[in-house]
Structure formats: C-alpha cells, structure tokens
Amino acid sequence: MNTKPTSFLVFVNGAIENAEVNDFDDLYLRFSYVIGKDWKICSGLEEGTTQIAHKSVQLGSKIVFNFPLEATFRATNPFGWPQLVISGYGLDAFGNDVVRGYGTTYIPISPGRHRIRIPLFVPRSSSRFQQFLAWFFGRRPEFVDPKVIAFNAGREMTRVRSHGYVQVVFNVVTKDLEELGYKIETKHSSQTSQQRSEKNETTYVDNYHA
Amino acid sequence: MSEVHVIGQILGASGFPESSVFCKWKVQMGSAWRVLQGDHEGQTQIDEPSDEPIANWCHPIDLHFATKGLQGWPKFHLQVWHQDVYGRNELYSYGFCHVPTSPGLHEIDCVTWRPKGSLIEELKTQFIGGSAQLKNPDLVSSSAELYKLRTVSMGKVHLRLHVIVRNFDKYGVEF
C-alpha cells in the first residue's frame, strides 16, 4: 500500500533565451533562485552565470543567450514558491564592469511550457551629479544583494529605471501536488493556462496600445 | 480549514499621466479569513521607465490564507502614488480587485480612479501638485458608500496572480 506523500516536487527545465535592450550591445547575466524556507533544491545549479553575449550587426537584433536552466525543487508548502532572479552586467565605454539591470519572476506554477518576458530595471542615482559621477567612475548604484528584489519588504524607497526585457522559457512538471490536496487549475477553464501564457509573449504591453 | 495560496506579481502600471509611479498595496478580507504566511501589505519600488510608458514593478506577492467560509474573499486595495522631480509623493489613484476565485493563472488589469475636487482644487492639483484623498481609503471597495463621490479615471495596474486552493472539495465547493 502506498503511503501518502509528505512533499511535492517541481521540475523546471528551460532556457534564458534572449535579452531585448536598446542602450547597449553586450550583456552577461547572473541568475539565482530564491525559495522559501519550506523549499529545497534537490538538483540543478542554484546559481550561475551566462556567457558574455553580443548583438549581431543587424538592426534591432536581440542579445541571444540560449542558456540552459534545469532545477528540481522539493517542498511541503507552496508558500515561498521559487523565483528566478536575474542580474545583468556588461562593460561600459570606459571598460568597467557595470550593472545593466535586475529582473525577477516566479517559476510558473501550472505544468506546461511558458514563455515569460521579464522587465529589467536598474537603481537610479540620487541626483544628476551622482549620476554623472557614476557614469564617469564606472561605479553605478547597484543592490548589495540582488535577491532583495524577490522580497516584499524594503522596496519602498528604491527608485529604479526600467529598460529592456529578458525572455525566458520554462517547462514545468509537478509531482504529488494534487496528492497533497492542492488544486492549481480549474476544471472549467475554457483556455488552459498554458495557452494563455503562450500568448503572453508581449505580456501586458498590448493593453496599453489597445 | 481550507487554504488559498496567491502567488504572483504586481507587474506594473500603464496609462498614467506621468511616469515615476509606485503602488501601495494591502489585502482586505472578511472575518472568516486569516493570513497564515506572507505580508499582507507593502509598497513597490518607484519606476521611471526609459523606453515605454509602462512602469515596471515586478513586485512579488506570496500569500497563504486559511478560511472557514467563502464570504469575505480577499481583495487587494491598491493606491498608485507619483513621485515628482522634487521628491514629493502625491496620490494618483485608488483601485481594488478581488483575488480571483478560480485556481490557475490570471492576468488582471485593475482600473483605477481618483477623487475629483472642485474647480479650485483641480487647478491646484494641476499647478502645485497634491490631490484630494479619501479620508478612509477602505471606502474603495465598499459598495454602500461610493455614491457620494465624484471621480476621474486614471490608468491601470497590471497583476499576474496564480491561485492555488486546498481542501475546498470536502466542503462541496466547486471551482
């Protein structure tokens, strides 16, 4: 006789596909997962760095990474669901390694293939003079710990400037979530979550133009 | 005891007259509900977008509720504020939206409004800044009292929420 499972598993495969940015031509990303205290990473890299990628000479091209992401999580509670935190860095005109942007998204909950467009944002300097100094010396404002963007607290007075997006594809499989009594989809949906998030390539930008 | 998880983000906002906006959010619910884990209120970062007129907050929402009944299903009270070049904060608009009642992923556009003052007050808002505010912000979702107000439409707040429910079927609740 099978004993009831006490934890569930979430398998995530996917890739950081590309970044769309206007202001600069090269970028590398550091990624990490932020999880709650009821969660554990069973396998896969919990943090890593991509290659340094450049745009091609075509006008309007994106910075392509095609960087694999694979992880397995075990948990007893959906609270603290994993978030992917991305920080992008690149070389500025003076050859300094500066921060280009931070972004975060939740690993999708419904099983299936999801393409998500994560906006990138970078902290702003406190004043114009500080901004000039930051540009000149190559010491731009950055977060001490990029994982802070995955939390609710302490964000109140962070002033940021958003520019560009990173596109990530996730394939998600869950095990034993339903055994533990969790219902993550409604049986009456006319459109599955997967279809809805496949259409989410342009996220909510369409709402503005409509 | 049934449980509801709400996991997602307050993505951002669009359609506001100026950029450099942030959002104060709060969860309001009936007496049968309790927040077991997660912060029930917070404030997003202040974003000034450089390319498109959409503020990006990507603010994480992770809430775990326990409940004894369906009444008083939780809802978000949102206040969009604007920070001008001098660093002053003024209220832009109010809005509310219910946490969706069906499990699954939901993309939500919450429309918002602000109270309209008299002609003098509107001129003041235009030239000096600052705006009329509600004495009791909880009025936003009370259907009985809103008839007294005159309001002006403002932009939308975008949320992406995934709702997970547990233990409702043994009480006969169908989703």
Side-chain angles (χ1 to χ4, degrees):
Chain A
M1 190 160 85
N2 283 343
T3 50
K4 268 201 93 95
T6 52
S7 59
F8 60 90
L9 288 172
V10 178
F11 298 84
V12 180
N13 288 334
I16 299 178
E17 285 204 331
N18 55 44
E20 304 162 34
V21 284
N22 294 328
D23 307 338
F24 40 88
D25 292 336
D26 62 303
L27 190 64
Y28 71 91
L29 303 174
R30 290 221 175 96
F31 73 91
S32 60
Y33 296 104
V34 170
I35 54 179
K37 59 175 176 49
D38 294 324
W39 287 74
K40 202 166 54 97
I41 295 191
C42 306
S43 81
L45 281 179
E46 59 181 277
E47 52 185 29
T49 311
T50 68
Q51 73 271 31
I52 303 176
H54 290 249
K55 280 186 188 171
S56 80
V57 294
Q58 285 169 312
L59 226 58
S61 76
K62 306 182 188 181
I63 303 178
V64 170
F65 291 101
N66 192 216
F67 183 83
L69 294 172
E70 285 161 18
T72 309
F73 303 94
R74 180 182 290 277
T76 52
N77 185 358
F79 181 75
W81 197 276
Q83 296 181 64
L84 178 71
V85 170
I86 289 181
S87 23
Y89 303 88
L91 289 179
D92 70 356
F94 299 106
N96 301 310
D97 200 27
V98 295
V99 66
R100 293 293 191 193
Y102 298 96
T104 176
T105 184
Y106 274 99
I107 306 284
I109 296 179
S110 9
R113 187 168 191 274
H114 308 263
R115 171 177 271 132
I116 299 191
R117 216 154 155 252
I118 307 175
L120 287 176
F121 53 83
V122 64
R124 273 188 277 159
S125 303
S126 330
S127 65
R128 284 247 188 245
F129 184 59
Q130 292 276 30
Q131 202 179 339
F132 171 73
L133 285 183
W135 171 80
F136 191 68
F137 290 113
R139 285 207 292 266
R140 315 243 171 134
E142 46 185 300
F143 289 118
V144 170
D145 180 7
K147 295 189 182 182
V148 76
I149 63 172
F151 294 102
N152 173 44
R155 307 282 295 282
E156 289 88 23
M157 279 302 148
T158 47
R159 297 162 24 154
V160 299
R161 192 171 60 89
S162 63
H163 58 178
Y165 296 90
V166 172
Q167 269 210 101
V168 186
V169 169
F170 291 108
N171 296 303
V172 176
V173 178
T174 60
K175 177 178 189 285
D176 290 336
L177 253 186
E178 289 203 15
E179 286 280 308
L180 289 170
Y182 290 103
K183 213 162 162 202
I184 57 177
E185 291 291 337
T186 168
K187 60 180 191 282
H188 294 299
S189 62
S190 51
Q191 209 186 14
T192 62
S193 285
Q194 181 180 341
Q195 285 171 317
R196 249 179 284 147
S197 58
E198 292 259 299
K199 288 205 312 216
N200 280 346
E201 296 207 18
T202 43
T203 59
Y204 53 89
V205 175
D206 285 329
N207 284 327
Y208 175 79
H209 293 302
Chain B
M1 270 293 234
S2 318
E3 295 167 38
V4 175
H5 288 265
V6 182
I7 298 172
Q9 290 185 330
I10 303 182
L11 293 170
S14 62
F16 286 93
E18 303 255 345
S19 52
S20 198
V21 289
F22 64 95
C23 178
K24 292 193 197 184
W25 64 273
K26 194 170 70 148
V27 174
Q28 211 59 357
M29 58 215 162
S31 49
W33 292 76
R34 227 165 23 103
V35 175
L36 289 179
Q37 293 172 297
D39 299 321
H40 63 274
E41 63 184 7
Q43 188 175 319
T44 69
Q45 61 201 14
I46 305 171
D47 182 41
E48 179 155 18
S50 57
D51 302 327
E52 294 156 342
I54 296 176
N56 288 312
W57 298 319
C58 296
H59 192 89
I61 303 271
D62 197 348
L63 287 158
H64 182 189
F65 297 99
T67 181
K68 296 188 279 226
L70 290 176
Q71 270 81 18
W73 193 278
K75 48 196 174 209
F76 283 106
H77 280 195
L78 303 167
Q79 291 181 16
V80 180
W81 288 70
H82 168 245
Q83 186 174 85
D84 62 13
V85 292
Y86 307 110
R88 302 178 303 174
N89 294 337
E90 56 173 349
L91 175 81
Y92 252 6
S93 59
Y94 295 101
F96 94 94
C97 72
H98 278 103
V99 167
T101 51
S102 46
L105 182 70
H106 303 269
E107 301 266 342
I108 302 170
D109 291 338
C110 177
V111 293
T112 61
W113 51 267
R114 71 169 170 84
K116 188 176 162 75
S118 65
L119 179 64
I120 308 285
E121 286 164 4
E122 291 288 300
L123 281 175
K124 266 200 217 163
T125 304
Q126 190 73 12
F127 288 105
I128 309 176
S131 56
Q133 297 180 27
L134 293 176
K135 273 206 220 160
N136 177 13
D138 293 339
L139 206 67
V140 169
S141 63
S142 86
S143 17
E145 314 244 349
L146 285 172
Y147 70 90
K148 303 177 194 165
L149 278 181
R150 191 179 279 266
T151 66
V152 175
S153 337
M154 294 293 263
K156 295 191 215 177
V157 176
H158 308 280
L159 301 107
R160 180 186 290 149
L161 298 173
H162 198 115
V163 176
I164 302 177
V165 299
R166 189 182 193 209
N167 290 340
F168 275 93
D169 20 339
K170 52 183 201 238
Y171 299 104
V173 175
E174 297 139 354
F175 282 111

